[in-house]
Amino acid sequence: MLRSKSVWLSALALVGVCAFAPAYAEEPAAAAPAKNATVAIDPKALALLKDMSETLAKAGTVSFNVRRAFDEPAANGQPLFYMVSSEVTLQRPDKLKIITPGDGPASEFYYDGKEMAVFLPEANLVAVEAAPPKLDDMLEAAFTKAGIYFPFVDFIVADPYAAIAEGLTSAFVMGKSKIVGGVETDIVAIATKDIQAQIWIGSADKLPRLVWLNPAQGAEKPRSMIEFSNWKLGAPLSAESFHSEAAAKAGKMKFGKPAGVEEPAKQ
């Protein structure tokens, strides 16, 4: 299921329910349940999620840009909003590159089926670790060994539908929009006992365009937005796309959880 814990990009780890205004809907949200009604899992919502998952899973190569906004409470309790952007390139089943300029220190993540590396260009330091031969296993190992977690991970695994639909307690179609991503989208609202989410999915291309997340548990309930753009599926990629000459020449540092950084919660 979609995660909510924010993770900053730091030296060794890539640290790194919004209300839908009815006026934005192209069609009335007839599928939305009335207040206090029992919410079921609508097969139409699941069909949209499955179409999106199949579109992503069957593409041999995938690249996209992602921009994330999330809030964290200040000492006085005021929510402070932060922005993180990344350029993601994926070749199934065993290659991944994530370039994150960010407002803080830039970072780069590389995985070539044998090793995973975190490169910090400004510090000219790189951490390298042996990695499993499949993407899903690598993502798990990166989290376990160094707390590295990508908020959009459920959209790049081998089976996005299984990751997103796990533990669903409700799912329904809210309606359509034409103001997200420059295309017509179908809006799906889903929830588990821990997470509430809305996903805008391209009606024609079946690609995710926007996600809003809200934790269902806890007092603070930080909100999080993930915006996708510049999708390219099936474009040819060279093996060099998943290596960095600068990283290869950089100074070495330990691959592990940085001191003082809380391990992100997997939900």
Side-chain angles (χ1 to χ4, degrees), residues 7 31 46 61 85 93 97 129 138 162 174 193 197 206 215 219-220 227-228 246:
V7 183
L46 297 185
T61 63
S85 64
K97 175 176 68 175
E129 179 79 3
M138 180 279 296
M174 293 181 60
K193 67 179 181 64
K206 309 303 179 185
E220 295 175 350
E227 181 182 31
F228 299 92

Side-chain angles (χ1 to χ4, degrees), residues 234-255:
L237 296 172
S238 65
E240 288 71 25
S241 299
F242 303 94
H243 291 276
S244 167
E245 290 296 327
K249 298 175 182 178
K252 300 299 187 291
M253 61 182 179
K254 184 179 179 182
F255 195 99

Side-chain angles (χ1 to χ4, degrees), residues 214-228:
N214 183 56
Q217 308 292 334
E220 295 175 350
K221 296 186 178 180
R223 291 153 290 181
S224 179
M225 179 207 76
I226 304 172
E227 181 182 31
F228 299 92

Side-chain angles (χ1 to χ4, degrees), residues 85-171:
S85 64
S86 299
E87 301 168 9
V88 183
T89 305
L90 164 69
Q91 180 173 302
R92 300 189 186 282
D94 60 0
K95 292 179 175 58
L96 178 66
K97 175 176 68 175
I98 300 175
I99 307 298
T100 304
D103 290 332
S107 64
E108 302 177 7
F109 182 88
Y110 297 91
Y111 167 63
D112 63 0
K114 297 179 180 178
E115 293 182 331
M116 51 184 167
V118 178
F119 175 48
L120 303 176
E122 293 180 13
N124 195 32
L125 291 172
V126 64
V128 181
E129 179 79 3
K134 291 185 179 180
L135 179 69
D136 289 18
D137 295 333
M138 180 279 296
L139 292 168
E140 185 69 26
F143 177 84
T144 301
K145 294 181 178 181
I148 297 174
Y149 171 70
F150 307 109
F152 48 85
V153 65
D154 289 343
F155 296 90
I156 64 174
V157 293
D159 188 352
Y161 179 78
I164 294 170
E166 181 182 1
L168 282 184
T169 56
S170 71

Side-chain angles (χ1 to χ4, degrees), residues 20-57:
F20 177 79
Y24 292 176
E26 197 63 25
E27 295 180 356
K35 188 176 181 179
N36 299 324
T38 300
V39 180
I41 295 179
D42 184 353
K44 293 180 180 179
L46 297 185
L48 288 169
L49 294 175
K50 287 179 180 178
D51 287 345
M52 178 189 70
S53 176
E54 290 174 0
T55 299
L56 295 171

Side-chain angles (χ1 to χ4, degrees), residues 192-204:
T192 69
K193 67 179 181 64
D194 297 312
I195 298 293
Q196 300 161 345
Q198 292 171 215
I199 307 176
W200 282 251
I201 302 171
S203 299

